[in-house]
Amino acid sequence: MRSRTASRLAWSVCLLSLALSACAAALAVLNGDDIEAVSFPLALTSSALVGGLVASRRPENPIGWFFLGGAVCLALSGVAAGYATYGLLTAPGALPGALAMAWLLSWVPVPGVILMLVFVPLYFPDGRLVSPRWRWLVWVALIFCVGETLHSALSPGEIQNEGIVNPLGVEALRSFFDLIGTLVFAVYFALLFAAAASLVVRFRRSGSVERQQIKWLAFAALAIPVWFLTNAPVQAAAPNLFLVVDAFVVLALIPLAAGMAILRYRLYDIDVIINRALVYGALTATLALVYLGGIALLQ
């Protein structure tokens, strides 16, 4: 792909993800969820911008495309959640295709999460694995992504605690899906920790400059599985605060860390103007999330 074509494609995908995030925010407002209407788009903005920037400047590096693919999938899941909630719960029958959007919600976040939380740490910063020995983890992640997508698309029952039942859930497979649920959970966390471990190994083998680049993402990658294991008390005590912190940790922490590493240490030859614009944008998004978290906590 020529550099100009890659740049146009990267920024087009970036704008698409931002537009989908805006639609998800508007639907969240219609459904009366003001916290999610602000926290979700802000969290995804960092992924879209960092992905567009890296993919347009270094199209041969998969990091930017991983960010863009994850941003599109997660933004689309936000649209599907808001659309299905409005068409099935808030104003039943008001929107056509609400059941189809509910089914889309059941599986489309899976590839987005795997791209963002597993593949980005594995390939950061140079777009290559830390060594050929880590290829097995890529294959495990790909197989898990396909299997979990099918599992989520056909699993009966409620979708992501949204109060919506999966329209294509196979009731006959409920016992089987319940049986493998624990295994899926264990493999998912194992992938998160393994991806974070690859950054630690890369950190130990790299030079001083690359170490400074990697440490930002390493801390973020390690914080995500820790948050997943310890967030239950926050969710029970302050649901609104949980939504804000969860959106920041899951959706924004890794792209913000990658963005800071890219900008702080001049990775990929980013110029000064873009540097300042993205730093100020990331700072604004972070302050907005902190502000929302304070409001949610006080409420």
Side-chain angles (χ1 to χ4, degrees), residues 28-174:
V29 171
L30 289 176
N31 291 319
D33 195 348
D34 296 334
I35 296 294
E36 187 173 354
V38 179
S39 61
F40 184 81
L42 281 176
L44 278 182
T45 297
S46 58
S47 301
L49 291 178
V50 171
L53 180 62
V54 176
S56 63
R57 299 282 298 188
R58 292 290 183 269
E60 74 281 359
N61 191 320
I63 292 295
W65 303 109
F66 291 157
F67 276 126
L68 288 175
V72 169
C73 288
L74 294 173
L76 185 58
S77 72
V79 173
Y83 193 97
T85 301
Y86 189 84
L88 297 176
L89 300 179
T90 305
L95 297 176
L99 281 175
M101 296 299 282
W103 179 72
L104 184 67
L105 171 63
S106 68
W107 62 267
V108 77
V110 175
V113 170
I114 296 299
L115 284 172
M116 294 273 292
L117 304 188
V118 177
F119 281 96
V120 167
L122 280 175
Y123 284 88
F124 187 84
D126 57 5
R128 296 190 297 268
L129 295 172
V130 64
S131 74
R133 295 180 180 180
W134 289 83
R135 289 175 183 170
W136 66 271
L137 185 58
V138 175
W139 285 106
V140 170
L142 287 172
I143 294 170
F144 175 80
C145 183
V146 174
E148 177 56 17
T149 299
L150 292 174
H151 170 262
S152 300
L154 300 177
S155 181
E158 188 177 352
I159 301 173
Q160 299 182 17
N161 299 320
E162 295 285 346
I164 303 170
V165 176
N166 188 352
L168 294 184
V170 181
E171 191 64 34
L173 296 177
R174 180 182 290 272

Side-chain angles (χ1 to χ4, degrees), residues 183-227:
L183 177 62
V184 169
F185 185 81
V187 173
Y188 175 61
F189 278 99
L191 285 173
L192 293 180
F193 278 112
S198 74
L199 279 173
V200 175
V201 173
R202 191 188 295 270
F203 179 86
R204 297 183 64 181
R205 295 181 180 181
S206 59
S208 58
V209 175
E210 191 175 4
R211 283 190 173 191
Q212 296 301 315
Q213 297 167 357
I214 293 171
K215 72 176 183 179
W216 292 86
L217 200 69
F219 288 136
L222 287 171
I224 289 172
V226 173
W227 164 252

